Each structure stands twice: as C-alpha cells, then as structure tokens.
Amino acid sequence: MRRAYIEIDVERCKGCGLCINACPQRIIRFSDKFNSKGYHPAEQYDPDEKCPGCGFCYMMCPDTCITVFKAVQPVR
Amino acid sequence: MEFTAVYKMPDSLSKKPFTYCPGCHHGIVHRLVAEVIDELGIREKTIIVAPVGCSVFAYEFFNTDGTVAPHGRATAVATGMKRARPDLVVFTYQGDGDLAAIGTAETIHTANRGERVTTIFINNAIYGMTGGQMAPTTLLGMKTTTSPYGRSPEREGYPVHMCEILKELKGVAFLARTKVTTPKDVLTTKKYIKKAFLAQTKDIGYGLVEVLSTCPTNWGMPPIKAMQWLEQNMVVEYPLGVFVDKVGEEK
Ligand SMILES: Cc1ncc(C[n+]2csc(CCOP(=O)(O)OP(=O)(O)O)c2C)c(N)n1
Ligand code: SF4
Ligand code: SF4
Ligand code: SF4
Ligand SMILES: [Mg+2]
C-alpha cells in the first residue's frame, strides 16, 4: 500500500536534477514533456510504491517545487 | 487512505519563482531561512536586507518585510534598522563579493560591535551576477573572467577565509561554515541558521552562517558536477564547522 508520494510543481521546475540525484529510491526522473520555461520537469515514477516520504528530494530542490505527502495512518 | 503534506513550501517564502539558474544553491538556502523564520514564529517582525549580487531580489522572495542595500552595505543598513527597532529581527543575505570584497569593512565592524543582526553568507567563490569575475574567495588556480589563467597568489593574493577572521571578534555569538550538497548538509545548515537567528533574538550578539554554494553557470558545469567540484575543492580550502557558539543547545 502507498505510504507516501510527492507532487512536483512542474511550472516552477528548472530541470536541475538535484532531486533525482538525492532520491535514495531512484523513483524520480525527467518527464518527456516540456514546461513553459522549456525545461523537462522532474516527475515521480513509483509503480512499486517505494516512496517512504523521506523528504530528500524536497530538501535538495533549489526551487521549492516539491511537496511530500505521507499517509496519516502509518501503513503496516 | 488519507495523506498529509509533511514537507511543503514554508509560509515565509512569497511563492514567487526564484530568478536563480537551475541547480543554484541560493534557492536551497532561501528555503532554509524561511523554514527557520516559520519555526521561530517571527515572520511578522522580520526584515531581510538583500545585497547586490544574484540575490539582489531576495526581498521579493520572502514573505517578510525587506529592503536592498547598496553593494556591500547590507550589515550597515541592518545595524541602523535594528538600532531603531530593536523589537524586530533583522537579517542580511549576502554573496562573497558583497560581504568579503566591497563590504569587508562593514562585515568586520558589524561583527565586532556585536550587532544583534544575523547574516547568511553565500560563498560561491565568484561574482555570479556580473558574469563570473574573481572574488576574494576564488580558489587558487581557479579560472574566472578576471583570472583567465587561474588565480595566482602572487598576482591576486590568497582566498579569504571570513569565518577564520571573524571568529576572533568578541561581538560574534554564532559563527559556522557549512554546505548544502546533501540532505544531511541541508539539515545541519538549517540548525546553524536557526542558531544564528537565536544569537539575535536571545540578545547575545552577531550571528553569521557561511554556506559554500555552487554557481553552476559561472563555474561552467552542470549542477550535479558543480556539487562534486564543491566537495572536492571548496571544502578542502574552507573547512566546515562551528567556529563560535555562545547560543548553546535548545531546551
Ligand atoms: C558599488 C558597486 N560596485 C560594483 C557593482 C557591480 N556588482 C554587482 S554584483 C557584484 C558582485 C556579486 O557577487 P557576489 O556578491 O559574490 O554575489 P553572487 O552574485 O555571486 O551571489 C558586483 C561587483 C555594483 N553593483 N555596485
Ligand atoms: S520522498 Fe524520498 S523516496 Fe520519495 S521521491 Fe522524495 S527522495 Fe525519493
Ligand atoms: S530539484 Fe526541483 S527544480 Fe530541480 S529537477 Fe527536481 S523538482 Fe525540478
Ligand atoms: S549566476 Fe551563479 S550564483 Fe547567480 S543565479 Fe546563476 S548559478 Fe546562482
Ligand atoms: Mg558570489
């Protein structure tokens, strides 16, 4: 069951890759799409629901694009 | 399943998109300062004094009062504000050109007077805004537009270590050098920034945090390579750590 996920404000994103570099689960990648600034924004790709909500991506994002959501009830 | 936001944009940021280049560490440090202001509950009484440099518009990015000082004069402006309104929290946000070149006198004397203000010092070893000229903090051998063959000590002198100079001044209450290349660093830096604000709010003295930061654009490197370069070169020249701590641990 999904424990956590992230949302990325794609319009703020500048495609620097610092979040991708910081993610221990390797579940962030660049989107094929462009945002209006012309960058390929980051997106979470987590089909196996591995994200524990560690926040590393948020901590490293220089443009405050990332919000991390965690399940209110801890999943066993 | 119900979810709640555990890491999100701090209230003390204005939400305006930053004007910094992709991967530039200025943005990480802005967010950390805003998180600290949120946690201390001082947003309504905090004033930022922005510098001249890439962060010249920093006052636009914080959801606080703010102004911008002439190049190098941020701590002088902050001194005036704080003395006129000691009930407010005043901080400066300055680059290495601003703080350690044109503003050296203001920096040293503000620290020496123990002004109850806080300084966030971004050391990226270069003049970012103006296109990559040599800064006092530029490393030996480092190529910039004004040291095209690499900085040589005979021609341009040695890299200036501001923390090591300032630590001798009695007015300093908190002083540390840090970096933000890993999540662990980010947490450490936030702790230091909080202490530099507490030095002021607890009326102990001057607080300054130097953050070794990347300038991918003027270093001519992609953002992640710039972080590796920082680790391998800047940290060697500029040792990390706490130089002065009269604030102590939080209860
Ligand atoms: C009195 C004065 N002299 C020179 C300048 C030109 N100038 C603008 S920004 C800057 C240096 C910026 O470098 P730094 O403080 O390291 O900030 P960064 O852009 O690297 O964050 C200089 C020399 C100026 N604006 N005013
Ligand atoms: S919260 Fe942690 S695991 Fe989840 S995407 Fe961000 S860095 Fe990766
Ligand atoms: S760290 Fe932020 S700006 Fe950089 S790619 Fe990730 S979401 Fe985009
Ligand atoms: S020029 Fe350098 S310091 Fe300025 S915003 Fe770009 S990367 Fe950051
Ligand atoms: Mg600089």
Side-chain angles (χ1 to χ4, degrees):
Chain A
M1 227 205 299
R2 189 158 78 155
R3 290 171 292 167
Y5 66 95
I6 65 170
E7 272 178 15
I8 299 177
D9 183 340
V10 291
E11 278 304 312
R12 288 183 84 88
C13 176
K14 295 174 184 163
C16 70
L18 263 56
C19 55
I20 297 174
N21 187 58
C23 177
Q25 304 292 340
R26 297 264 162 255
I27 49 175
I28 313 177
R29 63 183 187 187
F30 289 120
S31 164
D32 292 335
K33 300 196 191 81
F34 290 101
N35 66 13
S36 59
K37 293 193 192 91
Y39 297 115
H40 287 292
E43 65 180 13
Q44 190 178 38
Y45 177 71
D46 188 15
D48 301 329
E49 303 187 332
K50 290 199 284 192
C51 179
C54 69
F56 285 10
C57 52
Y58 165 90
M59 290 178 212
M60 290 308 296
C61 177
D63 284 282
T64 341
C65 311
I66 298 177
T67 309
V68 182
F69 294 89
K70 263 189 179 175
V72 176
Q73 297 287 320
V75 181
R76 280 163 221 280
Chain B
M1 178 60 67
E2 219 189 307
F3 288 87
T4 177
V6 285
Y7 294 99
K8 58 175 196 290
M9 167 97 61
D11 292 338
S12 296
L13 286 180
S14 67
K15 300 179 177 52
K16 281 188 192 158
F18 298 147
T19 41
Y20 307 113
C21 305
C24 173
H25 282 179
H26 270 301
I28 299 179
V29 181
H30 278 29
R31 193 195 68 240
L32 291 177
V33 172
E35 287 177 5
V36 166
I37 295 171
D38 279 4
E39 285 174 24
L40 294 175
I42 54 174
R43 190 183 68 75
E44 291 286 348
K45 55 173 185 176
T46 297
I47 303 180
I48 176 176
V49 184
V52 173
C54 284
S55 48
V56 63
F57 293 127
Y59 60 89
E60 292 274 352
F61 303 139
F62 287 88
N63 186 16
T64 64
D65 249 328
T67 189
V68 56
H71 200 22
R73 262 87 256 194
T75 57
V77 171
T79 296
M81 288 176 153
K82 182 72 184 190
R83 287 188 175 206
R85 290 292 304 274
D87 53 317
L88 301 183
V89 178
V90 185
F91 77 100
T92 71
Y93 185 102
Q94 303 173 258
D96 43 1
D98 194 88
L99 181 143
I102 194 169
T104 315
E106 284 80 356
T107 304
I108 288 178
H109 291 292
T110 302
N112 191 51
R113 293 190 307 266
E115 296 294 342
R116 272 44 170 177
V117 301
T118 302
T119 293
I120 310 301
F121 169 33
I122 301 295
N123 178 358
N124 56 12
I126 204 138
Y127 289 3
M129 182 200 207
T130 42
Q133 293 81 6
M134 197 194 85
T137 45
T138 293
L139 304 186
L140 292 180
M142 188 173 162
K143 288 185 180 145
T144 69
T145 57
T146 47
S147 59
Y149 307 109
R151 181 178 189 165
S152 92
E154 294 77 24
R155 243 189 342 256
E156 289 105 5
Y158 293 89
V160 169
H161 293 66
M162 289 311 289
C163 283
E164 286 81 348
I165 294 171
L166 296 172
K167 78 181 198 313
E168 304 301 332
L169 304 176
K170 300 264 191 306
V172 178
F174 186 80
L175 181 65
R177 184 185 288 125
T178 174
K179 62 184 170 85
V180 290
T181 56
T182 67
K184 183 164 177 275
D185 293 333
V186 166
L187 293 173
T188 304
T189 302
K190 182 171 169 183
K191 203 172 82 192
Y192 291 169
I193 291 174
K194 191 176 242 178
K195 283 200 167 192
F197 273 88
L198 287 171
Q200 170 175 182
T201 56
K202 292 183 172 210
D203 200 24
I204 310 172
Y206 181 65
L208 182 147
V209 178
E210 171 177 348
V211 187
L212 303 182
S213 302
T214 59
C215 174
T217 300
N218 287 299
W219 293 359
M221 302 172 200
I224 290 164
K225 175 126 192 291
M227 296 207 295
Q228 291 159 355
W229 190 89
L230 184 151
E231 296 278 0
Q232 287 158 11
N233 299 278
M234 291 207 36
V235 177
V236 177
E237 178 70 34
Y238 297 109
L240 306 178
V242 177
F243 294 86
V244 177
D245 184 358
K246 298 177 189 164
V247 178
E249 293 312 315
E250 264 184 288
K251 298 271 150 42

